[in-house]
Amino acid sequence: MTWADFRCAGLAMVVWCCAAVAPASAQEPPASTAAAPAAASTAAAALPPAELFFRQPDFDSARLSPSGRWLAVRVGLANGRFGLAVLDIDGARPPAVVAYFSDSDIGRYEWVNDERLVYDVVDLERGSGDPRYAPGLFSVMRDGSELRQLVHMHRQGVSGPQRPGERRLSPNHVLLQVPQGGSGDEVVVGEWVFSRWREPQALIPKLLNVVNGRVRSIAQGMPAGATGWIFDSRGQPRVATVLRNGRLQVHWRATAEADADAKADADGPASWQQIGNFDALRPPWRAQQVDSLGRLYVTVPEGERGEQVLKRFDFATGRPEAQALVSTPGFDFAGSVIVDAEAGAFVGVRVDTDAESTVWFEPRMKALQAAVDQRLPGRVNRLSCRRCGGPERTVLVQSWSDRDPGQFWLWRGEAEAPTLWRLVGLRRKGVEPRQMATLDLQRYAARDGREIPVWLTTPAGPAAAPRPAVLLVHGGPWVRGGRWGWAPMAQFLASRGYVVIEPEFRGSTGYGAAHFRAGWKQWGRAMQDDLADAVAWAAAKQLVDPKRVCIAGASYGGYATLMGLVRHPEVYRCGAAWVAVSDTALLFESAWESDMSEEARLHTLPVLLGDPVADADALRAVSPVAQAARLKLPLLLAYSELDRRVPLLHGSRLRAALQAAGSEPIYVVYPGEGHSWQRADHRTDFAQRLERFLAQHLR
């Protein structure tokens, strides 16, 4: 059985498009499950349209109910909006859309228990820059009945009439967590407290009953100014963090039982104690997760490279344990501990190295992972289990690869003899995996010997000669840029015949503290050289034609594009920069147009980028606006009207400086958008502009 095409369904109900049930062995995925292959002549003549890469997904996500009987899915509907639907896995009832709006899309959603869900709302046809928008919060029964609004929204349109006596929280409340177990009616929400300048001052956690709207505080004794929270499986706050004046304070709250054992005041709430206070940019450890047994897991930098490893925190000594639980050489640990919600046992760990993988310690789940990997080889197969310890456990399999955006499968039973193995949805219909590019992580040596990871996207099919290339620079810059999977922009560029080079230049995170710190105060300098060295490496391997390379990127990646044309004009033929930082001085200015926090301006940017006073000359030397006279190569610029991370002033100043220097760029501004382009038509429009620009200068 396959999941219905929601776009052919009405708004009130979803039907099975294919009702035939095939044996499990007959339901192995074909070479391509995304679409029937076109005739060879047609495939050679037509490129996949830009819309294929940048429209909204068809089958966005899925979540099992606590019992594993029901599957909630976020899918595209006939009206072009995302709706929320529920599937009866046993097939006793037809699938049905249980929540949708004519003018908005379902956003985040979670099961509260086996009967009720909560969700918030987003308008994906509205630009991302609307500062008045708030997601609200709603609850609904799995059959679509008893719809309730729990949190107000700033704008009207999706809010229904308020029932007499019905409680609704103010729009500054957001969903934080749903307690595990699926037996209660409460969720954890947080109330944001802002200063008069809209600076976040605190996030106050509360328990909200989704049936009657009643609220009770769980913030008793909370540290002043806490904005970061970690909750246990019951929804109780256990870790609170406060970031102030460049220092990170970490506070721990023991359970009420532990406090009682310690002969604390039995009538009062569990007390908070500070367990860490350190430089936020040089932390000796970071809190990550609390399991169902109340154990705190932290990451700790170790070794010459300072790669993060996973450890438990020892409260007796006040520091992490000596022995690491998980290490991932070559990468910082990134992932989570998997704990059986019923037994409280540590059953596995999910890690993200070059690709995501799961190591299971529980024998039955280990065998099931092996069985799924055998059926879906060469892919990442993420298992989410319900009734994990029983004979009829139900597992949702989310499967993807570098060439396939994703598939969703259901498994029930044992690894050797499943009673259910069903494909329920394709994330993006129309994508033909055999036509998509491959993605590989390699490493090269920069000019000073530093090892730089680099993602290489190679177009499908044989290459008669070294191909033209796009050096695509990730934003941040203090983030990890790539992961193994299907990425819209890289795949789009590869579909046009370009090799896509994406370096994890110094300053990127995810590869050890030493790699991160090597990028401090290196904007436009060593960070820039790493990019040029990536082109030289790829050319030396005859992977690309060094005479046909453009540099491109968004945000910091846009900045690096501009400075690449300034610092290394001999390496590139052209540049494309969108929502790009162009004036480093603007990053330090306090203005209503910017969402840069005072904490970042005063304590983070001076360390990572440079002090605006002491390093003023050095910052001016790496400011594209100040260096505009050296920007002589063809340039495509795109900005957003309502961007608060990189305000439009960056674009207008750069354009004026280029015009004054006699270099007119291609320039476009997208109305209503913020730092990321939410509207699919805007993403598609820019991709088409980029395609024409690259063809003009690289062909």
Side-chain angles (χ1 to χ4, degrees):
M1 232 183 283
T2 58
W3 187 246
D5 182 351
F6 280 82
R7 295 191 184 279
C8 73
L11 295 179
M13 175 174 283
V14 177
V15 298
W16 293 107
C17 288
C18 300
V21 180
S25 61
Q27 296 212 18
E28 300 301 321
S32 168
T33 57
S41 60
T42 303
L47 295 175
E51 291 84 355
L52 180 69
F53 301 88
F54 297 101
R55 62 176 173 79
Q56 308 297 355
D58 300 289
F59 195 107
D60 182 67
S61 59
R63 287 179 174 79
L64 285 168
S65 71
S67 72
R69 169 69 188 278
W70 311 92
L71 184 71
V73 295
R74 182 176 182 251
V75 290
L77 299 175
N79 67 348
R81 295 291 189 173
F82 274 122
L84 180 62
V86 173
L87 162 67
D88 181 353
I89 294 174
D90 290 343
R93 301 182 184 181
V97 175
V98 301
Y100 71 92
F101 297 98
S102 61
D103 63 349
S104 297
D105 303 89
I106 301 298
R108 177 184 176 183
Y109 64 96
E110 303 285 350
W111 287 96
V112 180
N113 50 52
D114 231 43
E115 303 298 322
R116 191 178 291 273
L117 301 105
V118 292
Y119 60 90
D120 59 23
V121 177
V122 62
D123 185 353
L124 294 175
E125 294 183 10
R126 178 189 295 255
S128 60
D130 187 348
R132 300 168 298 168
Y133 192 85
L137 190 67
F138 298 79
S139 73
V140 68
M141 297 290 284
R142 57 173 168 75
D143 62 359
S145 63
E146 297 186 27
L147 173 64
R148 295 180 184 275
Q149 184 172 0
L150 303 167
V151 175
H152 278 291
M153 305 178 70
H154 283 303
R155 69 184 185 91
Q156 300 301 314
V158 299
S159 302
Q162 189 165 347
R163 302 178 181 91
E166 186 177 73
R167 300 175 177 86
R168 292 182 185 175
L169 297 175
S170 56
N172 57 324
H173 287 78
V174 294
L175 179 66
L176 297 181
Q177 181 170 312
V178 176
Q180 296 178 12
S183 59
D185 292 322
E186 291 183 316
V187 300
V188 183
V189 297
E191 179 186 8
W192 278 108
V193 178
F194 298 99
S195 71
R196 60 181 295 188
W197 307 111
R198 298 298 293 173
E199 289 266 0
Q201 299 294 297
L203 180 60
I204 303 174
K206 306 173 182 179
L207 283 174
L208 168 65
N209 188 297
V210 301
V211 176
N212 56 35
R214 292 175 182 167
V215 178
R216 57 191 179 99
S217 175
I218 51 174
Q220 297 92 341
M222 65 172 278
T227 56
W229 294 93
I230 298 176
F231 301 88
D232 64 20
S233 60
R234 297 178 300 174
Q236 292 299 311
R238 305 300 298 277
V239 177
T241 57
V242 180
L243 180 61
R244 183 180 296 129
N245 299 329
R247 305 286 298 180
L248 183 67
Q249 302 172 20
V250 184
H251 301 262
W252 169 258
R253 177 180 179 268
T255 62
E257 292 83 358
D259 273 2
D261 292 341
K263 299 181 180 180
D265 182 2
D267 296 327
S271 60
W272 288 93
Q273 59 176 315
Q274 183 173 291
I275 60 174
N277 186 337
F278 33 72
D279 185 335
L281 293 174
R282 301 175 180 85
W285 53 267
R286 286 190 181 276
Q288 299 294 333
Q289 183 178 351
V290 177
D291 69 17
S292 58
L293 298 180
R295 296 173 296 198
L296 173 62
Y297 296 86
V298 300
T299 51
V300 181
E302 286 196 341
E304 181 180 351
R305 297 185 179 186
E307 292 168 350
Q308 300 287 330
V309 301
L310 183 70
K311 295 185 176 184
R312 287 196 187 102
F313 192 83
D314 184 347
F315 290 96
T317 63
R319 58 179 179 267
E321 295 177 351
Q323 184 64 39
L325 295 173
V326 183
S327 62
T328 51
F331 303 87
D332 288 331
F333 171 83
S336 61
V337 170
I338 305 173
V339 179
D340 188 314
E342 299 172 358
F346 180 15
V347 296
V349 61
R350 185 162 286 139
V351 298
D352 194 358
T353 53
D354 53 342
E356 180 183 300
S357 61
T358 305
V359 179
W360 295 101
F361 306 123
E362 197 277 322
R364 294 176 70 233
M365 289 304 297
K366 184 176 182 179
L368 179 57
Q369 182 77 58
V372 172
D373 290 344
Q374 185 176 12
R375 290 180 179 237
L376 301 171
R379 305 169 65 87
V380 173
N381 299 308
R382 180 192 294 173
L383 310 186
S384 303
C385 184
R386 297 292 182 269
R387 295 185 289 186
C388 303
E392 284 298 295
R393 60 180 168 174
T394 303
V395 179
L396 173 67
V397 180
Q398 184 177 350
S399 178
W400 70 89
S401 74
D402 54 342
R403 307 179 78 178
D404 186 341
Q407 307 170 5
F408 295 86
W409 294 75
L410 283 172
W411 180 297
R412 180 176 286 170
E414 296 300 323
E416 303 79 12
T419 58
L420 174 70
W421 176 239
R422 179 190 304 163
L423 175 65
V424 293
L426 301 176
R427 180 167 172 78
R428 193 176 287 270
K429 296 180 181 179
V431 171
E432 172 52 68
R434 286 175 295 191
Q435 296 178 354
M436 296 293 108
T438 57
L439 177 65
D440 187 33
L441 179 64
Q442 300 190 35
R443 296 176 189 254
Y444 65 93
R447 63 191 63 187
D448 64 354
R450 172 163 295 279
E451 183 182 79
I452 308 293
V454 58
W455 298 93
L456 198 69
T457 302
T458 305
R467 292 182 167 104
V470 175
L471 183 76
L472 188 61
V473 189
H474 71 69
W478 307 293
V479 298
R480 172 173 164 168
R483 285 171 175 80
W484 193 76
W486 190 92
M489 180 57 78
Q491 286 289 345
F492 171 70
L493 293 172
S495 75
R496 272 50 186 170
Y498 304 109
V499 174
V500 182
I501 308 168
E502 298 177 85
E504 299 279 13
F505 46 86
R506 70 192 70 203
S508 302
T509 60
Y511 301 93
H515 191 69
F516 168 48
R517 292 175 186 169
W520 291 9
K521 295 189 177 182
Q522 292 301 314
W523 280 41
R525 296 183 175 86
M527 293 169 74
Q528 207 68 49
D529 294 342
D530 289 347
L531 305 179
D533 293 345
V535 175
W537 165 83
K541 286 184 167 290
Q542 297 187 326
L543 300 172
V544 304
D545 180 353
K547 296 182 180 179
R548 293 188 294 162
V549 179
C550 270
I551 184 171
S555 193
Y556 170 82
Y559 165 88
T561 295
L562 301 173
M563 285 307 300
L565 302 184
V566 170
R567 187 176 178 91
H568 299 292
E570 75 284 356
V571 175
Y572 311 109
R573 291 273 291 272
C574 58
W578 52 109
V579 292
V581 174
S582 72
D583 189 345
T584 53
L586 284 176
L587 297 176
F588 296 93
E589 292 184 8
S590 177
W592 70 268
E593 298 95 340
S594 173
D595 67 356
M596 188 71 69
S597 70
E598 183 178 8
E599 179 72 30
R601 286 194 302 271
L602 297 180
H603 303 289
T604 303
L605 286 180
V607 176
L608 300 183
L609 178 56
D611 187 279
V613 177
D615 300 321
D617 291 341
L619 289 173
R620 194 175 303 110
V622 294
S623 177
V625 164
Q627 303 297 321
R630 298 169 61 190
L631 273 165
K632 298 297 186 181
L633 294 172
L635 181 61
L636 168 62
L637 291 176
Y639 283 88
S640 298
E641 177 192 20
L642 301 178
D643 192 346
R644 298 189 65 226
R645 181 58 48 88
V646 179
L648 183 56
L649 187 57
H650 282 266
S652 58
R653 281 190 179 180
L654 178 61
R655 186 187 190 189
L658 289 170
Q659 289 172 333
S663 300
E664 181 70 48
I666 301 173
Y667 189 81
V668 59
V669 175
Y670 289 103
E673 294 284 14
H675 196 54
S676 60
W677 297 332
Q678 184 167 276
R679 287 178 47 173
D681 60 331
H682 287 164
R683 296 195 299 269
T684 299
D685 177 80
F686 178 75
Q688 292 169 335
R689 292 173 184 266
L690 180 60
E691 179 181 8
R692 294 191 296 268
F693 178 78
L694 294 174
Q696 179 182 354
H697 298 290
L698 293 183
R699 296 301 185 187

